[in-house]
Amino acid sequence: MLLVFFVAWLAVLDVAHAARVKRDCWDSGDCSQLEKLNISPSLLEAANPAKTGLLPVVWSDDQQAYYSVISVGNISFRVSLDTGSADLWITSSACTTNACRSLPKYPLTYESPSFVPVNNNQTSFSVSFADGTAASGYVAREIVKLSNLTVANQAFGVVSNSNVTMGSQISGILGLGFPRLSTLSDRVVNATPVFATLSQQGLVNYPLFGLSLTRNTSGTLSLGAIDASVVKDVNNIEWNPVVAFSPFSTERNTTSYLQWAIPMASILVNGTVIAPSPTYPTAYSNNSLALLDVGTPGIYGPWQDVSRIYSAIDGARLVDTSSGGQWALPCDISETISFVFGQTNFTLQPSDYIIGPTSGDPQLCLTWPRASAPSSDGIDWQLGSPFLRTVYSIYSYGIDSKEPPMVGLYPLNNATAPVESPAQVSALLSSASATVATTLPNYLLPTPSYTTPAFIFNTSISASIGQIVTSDLATSTYSPILAAPAANLSAIPTVSPSPTLLTVVTTDGSGQVITLTSTAATASVTLGVPYGWSASASSRLHAPIVWILLPCLSLILSRLTSTSY
């Protein structure tokens, strides 16, 4: 038994030493020590894993948001992911409103060693949302970790007042938009958003991130790479240039990027084409724009498009005009709705766009899309999680002077698949307890009329789709791999979820190939609490004996693994 333990211990030491050598190769480019271990550099991943991150993405219990766990000041928090905003903000212990009461909070009495005040915590910030909720506080800086990616001195909002309610103990929002969209950037110098910082400092393999959304806990957010467990063939990704926006009035004198908005080619209802009708046809060369927004739990479009979608479906009924337009359809619907981007149809089955049966009439189901009033920015469509669950979406940040931002869409639904049967849809709705507590009106609702607001951008400074700009994007030290005509899709970095921390293949003197694998345990974190700290005592606790012994064990391992191989 002792011999077996000793052999296993030697194997662990081999893995630890190989990991150190491999890390040296990745970090410094010195791979000379690999030869002594008979490890071929070709066995190493093409992408440096130190420059990629992969975070689990979970659907919140109220089904209104998708969240990941990140670390702010070495304290873990759940943050809602949002491609429609750009700032990171976290609820702090200073917030005592009802919305904050039960949330894990950033503990201000902890006195984190990496916390950096901005203007003595006197620089205020505030954010507001379409539903009338808002959060406010002040700006500070902290170390932020996303998987194995670290951003030092990241500006974030310390929330001291909020009426924003979020499920699943979500403590804040991680905005993944462009710097121009940032509230903090307007208030503080060099306060770029988190992903902008990663891209502008060259901290990721490539300036892109990918999102896989599911109805459970199996989604992923990949940073610097795409999730190879979802994208099986990169050639099936439909790449769409992002729209550049002119300045707001006298905001600046150059065009830049603002939102993850792309042109929509057309809409299909069971194969019947509906041509989008943009609110401002001259603004974007008669293109209708769609914003890809993971922070929106629905699908919204302009009245002129949405009403025509439901006119093409038998039994459709307008049931609410209090905040836009809500339709209901027979729950046994057998139509598909497709949004066409580029040359690809992205198809929603009934289970994708049905919200749920109404309690007042269980034979009728509320559905997406909903109609919305005209928006002064010209973005007519807002495609949130019901659409994004049907695709793997990739957001390429663009490279200064070299490559425009692009959105890649990889279809997860087969556009030619048979329509789901009513029994399949009914089973899904029943399992999800999707009944909506509402009573439908017993009369026909009139179609509301809207006045188109003035276009908000300064059209004297031209903007275009896919425009290459000189600043605000990723550092120009990146070499473009998506820009035509020399696009090299095979060079897109990939990462895969795996329980394996490290796999090292070695060949001994007799030529026998040996594979050593170290397996990761599932990480367990306590939200909102620094390790070894008591909020009541406002001090650090004595560490358990195992943590006292760990440095000693680390020293022993260091000495053993420094042995020449």
Side-chain angles (χ1 to χ4, degrees):
M1 184 69 181
L2 184 59
L3 179 60
V4 172
F5 175 79
F6 181 69
V7 171
W9 182 251
L10 287 178
V12 170
L13 295 183
D14 282 343
V15 170
H17 177 65
R20 183 167 57 82
V21 171
K22 192 175 183 183
R23 179 64 60 193
D24 289 343
C25 176
W26 282 325
D27 291 346
S28 66
D30 178 12
C31 300
S32 60
Q33 294 300 311
L34 291 176
E35 197 172 319
K36 294 182 179 180
L37 290 177
N38 290 312
I39 302 174
S40 168
S42 65
L43 294 176
L44 301 177
E45 292 90 344
N48 182 347
K51 288 192 171 185
T52 61
L54 190 66
L55 293 166
V57 172
V58 180
W59 201 16
S60 65
D61 53 20
D62 62 1
Q63 300 183 355
Q64 297 299 297
Y66 280 90
Y67 70 83
S68 288
V69 175
I70 68 170
S71 169
V72 179
N74 292 316
I75 309 167
S76 296
F77 296 100
R78 290 174 177 171
V79 289
S80 175
L81 304 178
D82 189 12
T83 49
S85 67
D87 292 318
L88 168 65
W89 57 264
I90 300 289
T91 300
S92 79
S93 55
C95 186
T96 58
T97 63
N98 288 335
C100 294
R101 186 164 298 163
S102 61
L103 296 179
K105 306 176 187 66
Y106 183 92
L108 296 173
T109 56
Y110 170 58
E111 296 182 356
S112 164
S114 50
F115 181 90
V116 179
V118 172
N119 189 27
N120 198 29
N121 296 336
Q122 296 303 305
T123 300
S124 62
F125 94 100
S126 63
V127 290
S128 58
F129 302 94
D131 61 0
T133 59
S136 61
Y138 57 87
V139 185
R141 295 183 185 274
E142 257 290 11
I143 184 171
V144 174
K145 295 182 180 179
L146 308 92
S147 183
N148 62 320
L149 297 172
T150 300
V151 183
N153 294 317
Q154 175 62 48
F156 77 112
V158 181
V159 171
S160 56
N161 185 54
S162 171
N163 64 351
V164 180
T165 57
M166 294 183 282
S168 297
Q169 290 195 305
I170 296 172
S171 298
I173 288 180
L174 174 61
L176 295 165
F178 293 96
R180 185 177 167 191
L181 197 60
S182 167
T183 299
L184 303 188
S185 293
D186 291 338
R187 309 286 292 169
V188 179
V189 176
N190 296 325
T192 55
V194 173
F195 193 75
T197 303
L198 290 169
S199 299
Q200 291 177 5
Q201 295 183 10
L203 299 178
V204 286
N205 276 317
Y206 202 74
L208 57 73
F209 62 92
L211 275 170
S212 168
L213 304 184
T214 65
R215 293 178 181 268
N216 50 41
T217 63
S218 63
T220 61
L221 167 63
S222 59
L223 301 163
I226 61 174
D227 188 340
S229 70
V230 179
V231 179
K232 304 299 183 181
D233 186 352
V234 295
N235 294 305
N236 290 335
I237 301 171
E238 181 74 48
W239 290 101
N240 304 268
V242 175
V243 176
F245 288 86
S246 300
F248 297 107
S249 184
T250 58
E251 168 205 19
R252 54 169 69 195
N253 57 11
T254 59
T255 296
S256 61
Y257 286 93
L258 179 68
Q259 293 273 23
W260 292 107
I262 59 177
M264 179 188 293
S266 62
I267 305 164
L268 305 176
V269 177
N270 238 28
T272 300
V273 178
I274 295 174
S277 178
T279 301
Y280 303 95
T282 61
Y284 305 106
S285 303
N286 206 34
N287 283 290
S288 187
L289 303 187
L291 167 65
L292 285 300
D293 187 4
V294 66
T296 295
I299 299 174
Y300 297 86
W303 265 98
Q304 62 269 23
D305 291 350
V306 175
S307 59
R308 285 183 293 148
I309 289 175
Y310 288 109
S311 294
I313 302 176
D314 289 339
R317 178 181 167 191
L318 179 63
V319 296
D320 185 9
T321 58
S322 59
S323 57
Q326 174 70 68
W327 274 260
L329 295 171
C331 293
D332 59 356
I333 192 74
S334 59
E335 269 78 15
T336 59
I337 299 175
S338 300
F339 297 98
V340 182
F341 293 97
Q343 304 299 314
T344 304
N345 298 353
F346 296 91
T347 299
L348 277 64
Q349 290 278 355
S351 63
D352 297 317
Y353 64 78
I354 289 179
I355 299 171
T358 63
S359 56
D361 186 349
Q363 304 305 310
L364 285 177
C365 284
L366 301 184
T367 55
W368 302 113
R370 290 192 62 163
S372 54
S375 175
S376 59
D377 59 9
I379 298 177
D380 283 328
W381 282 90
Q382 194 170 11
L383 303 184
S385 53
F387 172 80
L388 293 174
R389 279 194 292 268
T390 69
V391 300
Y392 182 79
S393 55
I394 307 163
Y395 305 81
S396 182
Y397 195 71
I399 304 170
D400 286 343
S401 304
K402 291 183 177 180
E403 185 173 85
M406 304 185 79
V407 170
L409 299 175
Y410 179 83
L412 301 178
N413 287 354
N414 185 344
T416 61
V419 181
E420 292 170 335
S421 69
Q424 289 175 299
V425 177
S426 176
L428 176 63
L429 296 176
S430 177
S431 65
S433 301
T435 299
V436 182
T438 185
T439 300
L440 303 181
N442 58 5
Y443 55 90
L444 294 177
L445 297 180
T447 300
S449 59
Y450 293 100
T451 301
T452 301
F455 192 54
I456 199 170
F457 295 106
N458 182 355
T459 55
S460 65
I461 300 176
S462 62
S464 62
I465 297 170
Q467 184 173 341
I468 295 179
V469 296
T470 58
S471 63
D472 289 344
L473 304 179
T475 171
S476 59
T477 56
Y478 286 108
S479 297
I481 60 177
L482 301 178
N488 181 16
L489 300 183
S490 63
I492 300 174
T494 62
V495 63
S496 296
S498 172
T500 299
L501 276 178
L502 175 68
T503 299
V504 178
V505 180
T506 65
T507 305
D508 64 17
S510 64
Q512 182 180 3
V513 176
I514 302 171
T515 302
L516 301 175
T517 303
S518 169
T519 303
T522 301
S524 177
V525 298
T526 301
L527 299 173
V529 179
Y531 173 77
W533 180 78
S534 168
S536 59
S538 296
S539 63
R540 298 184 183 277
L541 300 176
H542 294 295
I545 186 67
V546 64
W547 290 104
I548 297 173
L549 293 177
L550 274 177
C552 300
L553 179 58
S554 176
L555 178 61
I556 294 171
L557 283 173
S558 176
R559 293 296 178 87
L560 287 172
T561 55
S562 65
T563 305
S564 176
Y565 277 66

